[in-house]
Amino acid sequence: MPITSRALPPFTVTSGQNGMQKVVLSTAGGAQAEIYLHGAHLTSWIPAGGEERLFLSQKAQFSPESSIRGGVPVVFPQFADKGPLPKHGFARRLDWEFLDGEKGPGTVSAAFLLRDKPETQRIWPHAFLAGLLVTLGGREIEINLTITNTDVAPFTFTAALHTYLKVTEIRDVYLDGLGGHSYLDTTDGGAEKNQEDKFLLFEEEIDRIYPDVQGCVYLHERTLHLKIQSEGLPDIVVWNPWLEAGDTLADLEPRGYRGMLCVESAAICRPVTLEPGQSWNGIQRLADESDPEPA
Ligand code: TA6
């Protein structure tokens, strides 16, 4: 019998933390990603020849009632507390259905589905379908959120892909791509300010919404270089709780703030309205532009 590739299968459904189901994606080139059905939550992304690029709290709760601290929480149908719903909506706390995995040329993807149910109808009386398609390439990953109005009346929502990027030391990190942009400073009551400097550095708590950012945002830390690209999600949120606010988060390990930076692609400032039968689509793409580790 000929010896064939020893590569992992392109996708497998397996048991993760606390027995919760997750889908593991692997490309022939060695990239890997993990998505929990709970929240359709991407918790791990390792590009080919690279290291883990998503932060996952050591104290993350893997339980039906919680959302997972780290990775990429799906925020829908409400960003933060900008409305009557629980913070960041309900999609991140519900179990999604795994539809299928698919292998493409150099990529592998997994599709997840969430539909309204009595639990969501009680607090948000709308019929909808939410789809999340995660596509893993060699050095890239794409997270594609689709919302469809399956109701007989229009509805309006806000949404975000609340990505926690893993860094070694937040004080060594800087973001490029937001210079000259105005932002709403959530740590200052939402005051509108302007980022004069080309680079955004980190030395204290930060919680900002940059409306309508054209172009990509780049994260740099020594040899780490990540490109963050958004489509259909025009606002960028940058968040790090720093020490004091970080300590109030029961599911973040002490000094966990040093190892993370949230760079979120979002639709907040202009909420999305869908007529019956209409769909909306928002994408975040992460590309690892660091030099690959020698094999
Ligand atoms: O997206 C930034 C933000 O809204 C921050 O204000 C911060 O509270 C963060 O999300 C995390 O929220 P969570 O509910 O997950 O603790």
Side-chain angles (χ1 to χ4, degrees), residues 117-191:
K117 45 178 130 185
E119 198 181 336
T120 66
Q121 284 277 358
R122 256 198 307 278
I123 54 172
W124 199 64
H126 307 290
F128 70 89
L129 283 181
L132 194 82
L133 180 68
V134 178
T135 303
L136 175 70
R139 308 273 295 161
E140 282 199 357
I141 193 159
E142 180 180 288
I143 310 145
N144 184 335
L145 175 66
T146 304
I147 306 296
T148 303
N149 182 344
T150 53
D151 216 321
V152 291
F155 62 63
T156 298
F157 65 89
T158 49
L161 297 170
H162 195 304
T163 304
Y164 288 70
L165 298 168
K166 181 177 158 83
V167 300
T168 304
E169 167 54 61
I170 185 66
R171 290 176 181 81
D172 294 336
V173 174
Y174 63 96
L175 286 185
D176 191 5
L178 298 170
H181 278 276
S182 64
Y183 63 89
L184 308 171
D185 188 348
T186 308
T187 66
D188 189 12

Side-chain angles (χ1 to χ4, degrees), residues 11-13 23 25 37 96-101 109-113:
F11 63 92
T12 47
V13 184
V23 176
L25 301 180
L37 273 56
W96 294 49
E97 193 184 325
F98 170 49
L99 289 183
D100 205 0
S109 56
F112 302 84
L113 181 75

